[in-house]
């Protein structure tokens, strides 16, 4: 009900995701262009448009200035690791190797092409058992929590309410 008046301009998905019947059917149902990462910046150049907010959710690619600039209220990333500590890819493996007892997900603004470096909006953590956790189980535990985090944080971001942030300094980058 809260998400009724939200307009999506286009969806970017990897070639594997583009071929997912559920994603394809949703895009067809709502007449949404489905764009691959390889064609994203050509698409933006050919279809210049502004959006209230650009949302990256597990995108896994560097977001470039033309995409960052589309959002009137900014560009945000939902990241499946704790920021500022774990930037980039492979965080699940680092959590296990470092024998962490908690893990989480983060939401941050993207204000440059630096990876996972923008001001942090929200970090959510949960306990884990480093002796039994695997990268797969950690992914399975993180995803529903990150989706709940998305639902909790997205409306204030879209509606351009004042959103408190904190600095995203330090940490390590892993790829």
């Amino acid at each position: 009900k809260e998400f009724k008046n939200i307009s999506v301009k286009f969806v970017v998905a990897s070639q594997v995701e583009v071929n997912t019947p559920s994603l394809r059917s949703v895009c067809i149902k709502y007449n949404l262009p489905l764009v691959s990462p390889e064609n994203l910046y050509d698409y933006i150049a050919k279809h210049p448009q502004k959006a209230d907010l650009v949302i990256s959710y597990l995108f896994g690619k560097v977001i470039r200035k033309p995409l960052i600039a589309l959002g009137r209220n900014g560009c945000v990333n939902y990241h499946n690791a704790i920021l500022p500590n774990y930037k980039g890819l492979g965080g699940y493996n680092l959590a296990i190797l470092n024998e962490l007892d908690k893990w989480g997900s983060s939401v941050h603004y993207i204000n440059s092409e630096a990876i996972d470096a923008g001001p942090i909006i929200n970090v959510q953590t949960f306990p884990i058992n480093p002796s039994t956790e695997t990268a797969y189980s950690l992914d399975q535990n993180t995803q529903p929590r990150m989706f709940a985090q998305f639902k909790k944080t997205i409306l204030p971001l879209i509606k351009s309410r004042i959103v408190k942030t904190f600095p995203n300094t330090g940490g390590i980058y892993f790829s």
Side-chain angles (χ1 to χ4, degrees), residues 54-68:
V54 173
I55 303 163
S56 165
Y57 193 97
L58 296 173
F59 185 50
K61 305 272 185 199
V62 174
I63 296 185
R64 305 279 179 215
K65 289 178 186 176
L67 184 56
I68 296 168

Side-chain angles (χ1 to χ4, degrees), residues 65-80:
K65 289 178 186 176
L67 184 56
I68 296 168
L70 290 182
R72 284 186 282 272
N73 299 338
C75 179
V76 296
N77 182 42
Y78 287 81
H79 178 64
N80 58 349

Side-chain angles (χ1 to χ4, degrees), residues 5 13 18 20 23 32 44 48 57 94 98 115 131 135 156-157 159 166-167:
N5 295 322
V18 164
T20 304
L23 177 61
L32 294 172
I44 291 170
Y57 193 97
L94 290 173
N98 292 336
I115 297 172
S131 63
L157 293 167
K159 292 180 178 180
F166 55 97

Side-chain angles (χ1 to χ4, degrees), residues 14-26 34:
S14 71
Q15 204 56 47
V16 171
E17 294 165 320
V18 164
N19 293 320
T20 304
S22 58
L23 177 61
R24 184 173 291 289
S25 65
V26 167
L34 188 51

Side-chain angles (χ1 to χ4, degrees), residues 57-58 80 92 126 138-148:
Y57 193 97
L58 296 173
N80 58 349
Y92 296 148
F126 56 90
L138 196 49
D139 179 61
Q140 295 301 298
N141 287 326
T142 303
Q143 293 312 313
R145 289 173 168 91
M146 194 162 104
F147 188 64

